[in-house]
């Protein structure tokens, strides 16, 4: 169905809000971001396939842009992947393709970071230092029996000039192409973990929530799998020209 967001308020207990393409583009705050956060105050969780930063880091960055969102209101694919690994495989030897911030977070969760092929799990996140050597090391680890986990399936996201910016999914694609591996775990949208985590924090069932995002293949498909309504945002426009810019699909 289509309609003005206010018409849906009485049926919505909580909002799950995407970040890139919905609230910001690069370091630019999009047109209706502040309005949306004010409208949904106290009833939203930011849900992002970001697999480079921690919620604390991202909250600081958003605050510098004028968006006041607390770390507790942020669910990210990278940290969610580490939390799941720590919960299901406590103390695992982890070969992490990722940032220093995620490495520190992994250690805090009790995971053993390794830089050798003898690993239990290879986790692919957004790794700005990805090299041939790191690809070869991860390939060897998987060939020796390590399990592959991909934090974010996205291969790219649009940059400030709409150019493709490489994401974790692109690095995972190189690893999958090299090894031929077929079975691996994906954490980020459209898989259910981030949606379910956000709903638990809001204290709602998925059918009571609304996912607001710019990507029908990740935000939309993931929401629909759980019976959640989805609002499709284009060009950061949320409150204006709703018949054209905001589509709510259930």
């Amino acid at each position: 169905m289509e309609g003005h967001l206010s018409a849906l308020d009485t049926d919505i207990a909580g909002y799950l809000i995407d970040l890139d393409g919905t609230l910001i583009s690069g370091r630019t705050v999009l047109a209706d971001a502040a309005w949306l956060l004010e409208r949904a105050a106290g009833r939203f969780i930011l849900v992002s396939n970001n697999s480079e930063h921690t919620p604390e880091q991202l909250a600081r960055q958003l605050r510098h842009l004028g968006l006041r969102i607390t770390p507790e209101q942020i669910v990210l694919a990278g940290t969610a992947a580490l939390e799941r690994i720590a919960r299901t495989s406590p103390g695992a030897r982890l070969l992490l393709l990722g940032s220093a911030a995620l490495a520190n977070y992994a250690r805090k969760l009790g995971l053993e970071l390794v830089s050798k092929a003898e690993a239990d799990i290879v986790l692919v996140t957004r790794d700005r230092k990805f090299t041939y050597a790191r690809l070869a090391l991860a390939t060897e680890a998987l060939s020796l029996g390590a399990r592959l986990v991909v934090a974010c399936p996205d291969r790219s996201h649009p940059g400030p000039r709409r150019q493709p910016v490489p994401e974790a999914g692109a690095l995972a694609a190189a690893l999958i192409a090299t090894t031929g591996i077929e079975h691996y775990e994906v954490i980020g949208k459209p898989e259910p973990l981030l949606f379910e985590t956000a709903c638990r924090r809001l204290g709602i069932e998925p059918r009571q929530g609304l996912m607001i995002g710019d990507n029908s293949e990740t935000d939309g498909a993931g929401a629909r799998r759980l019976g959640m309504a989805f609002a499709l945002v284009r060009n950061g426009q949320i409150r204006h020209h709703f018949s054209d810019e905001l589509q709510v699909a259930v």
Side-chain angles (χ1 to χ4, degrees), residues 14-35:
Y15 300 90
L16 279 60
I17 303 174
D18 177 49
L19 179 61
D20 290 305
T22 302
L23 298 182
I24 65 172
S25 177
R27 296 193 62 79
T28 300
V29 177
L30 295 176
D32 293 329
W35 174 86

Side-chain angles (χ1 to χ4, degrees), residues 75-177:
V75 174
L76 303 178
T79 50
L82 289 171
E83 290 162 2
R84 176 169 173 78
I85 290 169
R87 185 170 62 253
T88 58
S89 304
R93 296 173 298 171
L94 178 67
L95 177 56
L96 172 67
L97 302 181
S99 66
L102 287 192
N104 290 334
Y105 194 76
R107 293 188 187 97
K108 290 179 181 178
L109 292 173
L111 297 171
E112 179 186 352
L113 292 185
V114 298
S115 56
K116 55 186 180 180
E118 288 73 21
D120 300 312
I121 298 169
V122 174
L123 173 60
V124 183
T125 65
R126 191 178 182 201
D127 184 1
R128 293 177 185 264
K129 296 183 178 180
F130 189 73
T131 62
Y132 179 88
R134 290 171 76 79
L135 174 62
L137 178 62
T139 297
E140 184 180 359
L142 292 173
S143 72
L144 293 175
R147 181 164 60 90
L148 176 61
V149 179
V150 180
C152 165
D154 301 340
R155 298 192 179 192
S156 67
H157 73 260
R161 297 186 298 277
R162 310 306 296 174
Q163 81 280 14
V165 177
E167 275 289 0
L171 310 187
L175 189 54
I176 293 165

Side-chain angles (χ1 to χ4, degrees), residues 7 44 50 52 58 64 118 137 141 154 157 193:
F44 78 86
N50 181 306
E52 181 177 5
L58 191 56
H64 289 316
E118 288 73 21
L137 178 62
D154 301 340
H157 73 260
L193 180 62

Side-chain angles (χ1 to χ4, degrees), residues 205-225:
E205 296 295 327
R207 59 181 174 76
Q208 298 175 301
L210 172 67
M211 178 73 218
I212 301 175
D214 71 319
N215 190 325
S216 60
E217 294 182 1
T218 54
D219 303 316
R224 284 190 290 268
R225 289 180 190 177

